[in-house]
Amino acid sequence: MKLYVYLLCVVLVTIVSCNGGSDSKSNENQSESAHPSLILTQQGVKDIKANLGSIPIFDETLAATKKEIDAEIKAGFDVPTPKDYSGGYTHATHKKNYSLMQKAGVLYQILDDETYAKFVKDMLFSYAEQYPTWPAHPKTRSYARGKLFWQCLNDSNWLVYTSQAYDCIYNYLTLEERETLETELFKPFANYISKDNPQFFNRVHNHSTWGNVAVGMIALAMDDDSLLQAALYGLKDIKLAKDMKDNDGGYINPEDGKIGFFANLDEPFSPDGYYTEGPYYQRYAMYPFLIFAQALENKKPELKILEYKDRVLLKGVNALLNLTDADGDFFLLNDSQKGMSYYNSSLVSAVNIAYHFGGNNPELLSIAQKQGEVTLDDAGLAVALGIQQGKAKPFNKKSIELSDGPNGNQGGVGILRSAPMELVFKYTAHGLSHGHYDKLSYALFEDGNEVVQDYGMSRFVNIEQKGGGNYLKENTTWAKQTISHNTIVQNETSQFQGKYDIGSKHHSNGYIFSVAQDNVQVASAKEENAYPGTKLHRTMVIIKDSDYNNPYILDIMRVQTESSNQYDLPFYYLGHIMQTNFEYDKLKTPQILGTSDGYQHLYKEAIATANGKHIKLNWLLNNTFYTYSAVTSNNDEIILARIGANDPEYNLRQEPTLILRKKNTKDAVFASIIESHGTYTPVSEMALNAYSNIKNIEVVYDTSAYTAIKIETKNNTSRVFIISNENNDKEAQHSLNINNKTYTWKGCYVLTEIN
């Protein structure tokens, strides 16, 4: 009996001493009870365990993740001294590490296997040991250098993911271990990307969103309210130079003084959920926006973050999905890499969170099914259960207009859809430092294939051979310039002189967006600041003719100026020329088209002079025939050109364009039609409907009040499209006499047959 009492006393003393006394034990239990609580919750873990084996998409994701992490644990990890740009070994390794830690933390919670917790712990302590010894990254290109990476942006990525791993293994660690990690690693890390780099942290941009969320996530994991306040509302009493810019030429100091996470919700998002930098960067920013929102919903529900600005984050997910083509690839608005799609992991997370917290929209489940995976957390479980219960419905992408600007009054994007064609028409604000000088530009897709392209950006992301995986100089000299887009260039000078200081102050204005009629859909917009004294008005129309398989596109670009100028309208078709209806002289040696504003990157390969009749360009792309028919005037120049001049390192894609040039012209109308009309089958070697169905296109009326375009097809049908250029009232009555025929209609436009 004495021995039993003695052993009991020893155990009690040991427990008290190991936990710092009874009060400490109580406090620690209280702290431990709150973890995991950011993305995974304790209840979520219980529900996941209860459903394992009966939720296929979740089970498959879990199995794939386990296989990946088991292999990495077996191979061992490395925490190298940072030295590389994007794509280099140290950059790629630190990027891999934060992903591995996040996944291993989740596996520890779901599988109750301490192997995964130990893996995270060991890696974190390796970082904690080395981080204090690392100076700013040795690569000096960024306006805000990180420590692990060449820019604070990537350091913030690391902390966003690692915060989730820390939350998952929090209870596995001793109090002393947690204090070490927080004191030696997490708090210094958060301070470095915030207090030590306010030019990165205190701004409105996707960069600062990542920074705000990184600090906010680790603040929630550590229950540090001071850091959380800095994340939500920015660092106070910080003065930055008003003219300070980032590496892309964008101003850092916000004019209205708004900073922090809430400012990044207020400013870049329109009420429709469109993010002003464009879908490529919206995709990138939505992960931190939504992952932090999810954590705040779990930890600080009183903030009601997902209800903020009329549920703008949830609207943002819907906007992003609508900004994709038939294959799920994002449209190329502003700086964008081709091929980025909603299969990206950030969109997997976005779809899951939007479903779980946004009312269980069954259409999101069909997107998740296509993605083929879910997040291993509460939101992913909700999606998996919804799919397992057969609740999925198709996500039906229709024609849609998305406004730009915090109040929705800075232009927008019009997307016209008439299967199989999708047209994207841009009349937005500039788009912060990732914007391009391309007001009233467009791109055209068929069944997910880009037919008339937007070039996108000049960058090979995370490919070290190309500029360390960063933006190339050609992004400024070519990709951002107006001539690289399908829109008007005046006097071989980019819109807004190619200057961010000017372009960022202006936006285009939508004029018409009308998609109620299936046979004719219209998007029209105006731009009056791109060139002083010049007014641009473009109208894009998708016309569905029952006599033909596919709809065709009518494009009307009007120019009104105070003086005579040269106007170039490029047409960036993709594919191989089959035939033209005009004779051209192909140069023996291609000539560089110009000296600046992007013209220095174009080779002039052939040239023709128009005789006043409409021209045709017939080409083949992906075994589909297309034809471009355009109105011309006498002595208009037709230039067949190709990208690639002054490009010694082959950074640019060598793709074709047709440029229609009007010289010494005041007011002008560019009108054209684009058709998809035939196919070629290599196996049978048969070409069907290889020639255009358009017999003629003609401007039959043009004044400041009205413009009318006559379209004649090969089946001897004639139509006229008339638009009111100054009155877009849907209820207005119009009457116009053209060639002794009177047309009357209600609304701002009409498409009618000519008898």
Side-chain angles (χ1 to χ4, degrees):
M1 183 67 179
K2 290 182 180 180
L3 178 61
Y4 172 78
V5 171
Y6 172 76
L7 290 174
L8 179 61
C9 290
V10 170
V11 170
L12 289 173
V13 169
T14 303
I15 292 174
V16 171
S17 62
C18 287
N19 291 284
S22 59
D23 289 340
S24 175
K25 176 66 176 177
S26 176
N27 291 336
E28 186 174 356
N29 284 339
Q30 185 177 3
S31 176
E32 287 182 356
S33 68
H35 297 272
S37 58
L38 300 187
I39 309 307
L40 266 174
T41 65
Q42 290 182 328
Q43 185 60 48
V45 172
K46 292 179 182 178
D47 292 341
I48 288 169
K49 291 177 178 178
N51 284 280
L52 287 179
S54 63
I55 40 176
I57 194 170
F58 194 102
D59 294 333
E60 291 165 8
T61 304
L62 180 63
T65 303
K66 183 179 186 302
K67 181 179 179 181
E68 175 192 359
I69 300 305
D70 287 350
E72 292 290 344
I73 291 174
K74 183 177 180 180
F77 65 83
D78 185 20
V79 179
T81 300
K83 66 175 184 177
D84 299 321
Y85 276 128
S86 305
Y89 173 76
T90 65
H91 182 101
T93 300
H94 290 300
K95 183 177 179 180
K96 181 177 77 170
N97 284 349
Y98 67 66
S99 177
L100 295 178
M101 284 191 286
Q102 188 270 340
K103 292 176 180 178
V106 169
L107 291 178
Y108 167 62
Q109 284 293 329
I110 295 175
L111 301 178
D112 286 326
D113 187 339
E114 292 188 357
T115 302
Y116 302 109
K118 183 178 184 302
F119 178 72
V120 177
K121 171 187 169 181
D122 291 347
M123 192 182 294
L124 285 178
F125 270 91
S126 182
Y127 274 103
E129 179 181 357
Q130 297 186 71
Y131 184 80
T133 70
W134 288 335
H137 197 279
K139 299 295 186 183
T140 59
R141 181 183 298 181
S142 176
Y143 74 102
R145 292 152 64 195
K147 281 194 169 186
L148 277 65
F149 302 93
W150 69 277
Q151 55 180 348
C152 280
L153 172 62
N154 300 95
D155 280 41
S156 298
N157 292 178
W158 187 94
L159 191 55
V160 168
Y161 283 84
T162 303
S163 299
Q164 299 171 56
Y166 182 54
D167 179 51
C168 284
I169 71 159
Y170 191 94
N171 295 345
Y172 173 79
L173 301 169
T174 66
L175 177 61
E176 182 181 4
E177 288 169 338
R178 294 197 293 265
E179 288 178 347
T180 298
L181 290 175
E182 292 181 10
T183 302
E184 300 297 322
L185 179 60
F186 295 137
K187 289 181 180 179
F189 203 116
N191 287 333
Y192 181 82
I193 61 177
S194 57
K195 294 177 182 178
D196 293 352
N197 284 278
Q199 77 281 12
F200 164 77
F201 193 77
N202 269 15
R203 63 181 303 205
V204 173
H205 195 276
N206 76 76
H207 287 194
S208 53
T209 296
W210 276 97
N212 298 155
V213 170
V215 172
M217 289 289 284
I218 198 63
L220 290 174
M222 299 188 303
D223 290 317
D224 188 320
D225 190 63
S226 176
L227 282 177
L228 180 61
Q229 294 304 306
L232 293 174
Y233 305 106
L235 299 170
K236 305 303 180 184
D237 302 320
I238 298 292
K239 294 183 179 180
L240 300 172
K242 289 185 177 181
D243 60 350
M244 185 179 289
K245 294 184 178 182
D246 63 17
N247 299 101
D248 299 309
Y251 281 110
I252 287 172
N253 231 338
E255 292 183 3
D256 59 9
K258 291 183 178 180
I259 52 178
F261 183 73
F262 279 110
N264 276 285
L265 276 176
D266 283 331
E267 297 299 309
F269 282 101
S270 79
D272 294 329
Y274 177 75
Y275 187 73
T276 194
E277 294 185 53
Y280 181 82
Y281 276 97
Q282 182 168 357
R283 170 274 323 173
Y284 181 60
M286 285 305 281
Y287 182 81
F289 272 123
L290 283 166
I291 209 73
F292 191 36
Q294 184 176 9
L296 289 170
E297 285 289 323
N298 289 329
K299 292 276 286 188
K300 302 286 183 180
E302 66 275 11
L303 290 177
K304 298 181 178 180
I305 197 70
L306 286 172
E307 295 180 26
Y308 190 77
K309 197 176 176 180
D310 193 25
R311 296 162 64 88
V312 72
L313 281 177
L314 298 173
K315 288 181 178 179
V317 178
N318 184 69
L320 259 181
L321 295 175
N322 273 290
L323 285 163
T324 63
D325 64 23
D327 293 334
D329 290 353
F330 292 113
F331 298 135
L332 300 170
L333 302 171
N334 299 327
D335 283 341
S336 308
Q337 176 168 250
K338 293 193 177 188
M340 179 54 70
S341 73
Y342 61 47
Y343 293 97
N344 181 268
S345 60
S346 63
L347 261 293
V348 173
S349 176
V351 167
N352 289 191
I353 293 170
Y355 178 81
H356 183 50
F357 290 98
N360 295 348
N361 177 3
E363 292 186 11
L364 293 175
L365 297 178
S366 65
I367 301 295
Q369 286 177 313
K370 290 180 179 180
Q371 292 170 331
E373 61 179 309
V374 293
T375 52
L376 299 177
D377 54 31
D378 305 36
L381 174 63
V383 169
L385 287 171
I387 293 172
Q388 189 270 338
Q389 294 163 7
K391 295 180 179 179
K393 293 182 179 180
F395 189 94
N396 189 14
K397 288 186 284 189
K398 299 179 180 179
S399 297
I400 188 173
E401 182 178 40
L402 298 169
S403 62
D404 195 4
N407 299 312
N409 59 356
Q410 296 180 12
V413 176
I415 304 170
L416 300 180
R417 290 184 166 101
S418 183
M421 313 305 292
E422 293 177 302
L423 184 139
V424 188
F425 183 32
K426 182 186 177 189
Y427 41 97
T428 63
H430 187 67
L432 302 180
S433 58
H434 286 295
H436 289 192
Y437 304 98
D438 63 338
K439 294 293 189 286
L440 307 190
S441 65
Y442 77 95
L444 180 66
F445 298 78
E446 179 176 6
D447 277 335
N449 294 312
E450 197 174 22
V451 177
V452 182
Q453 74 156 334
D454 183 295
Y455 186 86
M457 63 187 181
S458 180
R459 179 184 181 186
F460 295 78
V461 181
N462 287 329
I463 298 178
E464 189 178 21
Q465 302 95 301
K466 288 293 187 181
N470 304 315
Y471 280 101
L472 301 166
K473 60 182 177 61
E474 288 82 7
N475 197 60
T476 298
T477 61
W478 167 252
K480 285 178 178 278
Q481 300 298 325
T482 308
I483 190 60
S484 71
H485 302 83
N486 301 296
T487 191
I488 283 285
V489 187
Q490 180 172 299
N491 298 328
E492 298 189 31
T493 302
S494 284
Q495 297 173 358
F496 308 108
Q497 302 174 46
K499 294 181 179 179
Y500 177 82
D501 294 12
I502 303 173
S504 61
K505 295 178 181 178
H506 302 289
H507 59 83
S508 303
N509 289 298
Y511 183 67
I512 301 169
F513 189 80
S514 177
V515 296
Q517 300 179 56
D518 186 50
N519 68 319
V520 54
Q521 300 183 48
V522 181
S524 183
K526 296 184 176 183
E527 171 56 52
E528 300 185 357
N529 297 292
Y531 298 104
T534 298
K535 295 180 179 181
L536 304 177
H537 183 186
R538 192 169 207 167
T539 301
M540 310 293 300
V541 189
I542 289 188
I543 299 171
K544 192 172 184 180
D545 188 328
S546 58
D547 289 340
Y548 302 109
N549 291 331
N550 291 336
Y552 57 86
I553 290 80
L554 171 63
D555 174 18
I556 308 168
M557 173 70 90
R558 297 185 69 251
V559 186
Q560 290 180 294
T561 60
E562 299 173 352
S563 59
S564 295
N565 299 285
Q566 173 183 293
Y567 305 112
D568 290 341
L569 184 58
F571 178 71
Y572 283 94
Y573 65 96
L574 291 171
H576 195 101
I577 291 178
M578 295 290 100
Q579 188 181 61
T580 69
N581 73 338
F582 55 89
E583 294 185 2
Y584 54 82
D585 294 323
K586 189 167 185 180
L587 306 180
K588 292 182 179 179
T589 302
Q591 299 175 0
I592 297 174
L593 193 57
T595 59
S596 65
D597 294 77
Y599 282 80
Q600 73 274 24
H601 291 300
L602 284 171
Y603 283 119
K604 180 167 63 175
E605 296 185 330
I607 190 166
T609 302
N611 59 11
K613 297 180 180 180
H614 78 281
I615 63 168
K616 286 183 178 291
L617 171 72
N618 179 248
W619 77 98
L620 184 67
L621 171 67
N622 297 325
N623 294 320
T624 300
F625 290 102
Y626 299 90
T627 298
Y628 165 78
S629 304
V631 173
T632 66
S633 301
N634 276 321
N635 298 318
D636 284 353
E637 288 186 14
I638 306 160
I639 301 169
L640 298 177
R642 189 169 299 275
I643 305 165
N646 287 305
D647 182 27
E649 296 179 344
Y650 292 91
N651 288 334
L652 298 173
R653 303 189 303 270
Q654 298 184 355
E655 294 161 337
T657 184
L658 181 151
I659 300 172
L660 190 56
R661 171 173 287 179
K662 295 181 182 292
K663 290 185 175 181
N664 195 28
T665 301
K666 191 177 178 184
D667 295 348
V669 178
F670 293 82
S672 62
I673 286 176
I674 309 165
E675 306 167 78
S676 168
H677 53 74
T679 59
Y680 179 74
T681 306
V683 174
S684 63
E685 298 180 328
M686 292 290 292
L688 299 176
N689 300 321
Y691 295 95
S692 168
N693 295 312
I694 299 299
K695 186 175 181 181
N696 189 41
I697 176 173
E698 180 183 359
V699 179
V700 292
Y701 192 93
D702 183 60
T703 66
S704 60
Y706 299 99
T707 298
I709 308 297
K710 182 181 178 182
I711 305 166
E712 297 179 65
T713 59
K714 282 188 174 180
N715 62 3
N716 295 318
T717 299
S718 294
R719 289 186 174 90
V720 63
F721 178 86
I722 310 172
I723 182 170
S724 169
N725 295 322
E726 297 178 341
N727 186 350
N728 61 359
D729 186 344
K730 296 178 181 179
E731 301 301 319
Q733 298 287 340
H734 299 271
S735 179
L736 182 65
N737 187 280
I738 303 174
N739 296 331
N740 298 318
K741 179 176 175 60
T742 299
Y743 298 88
T744 59
W745 73 95
K746 177 183 176 182
C748 41
Y749 67 88
V750 66
L751 176 69
T752 184
E753 287 193 14
I754 303 174
N755 297 324

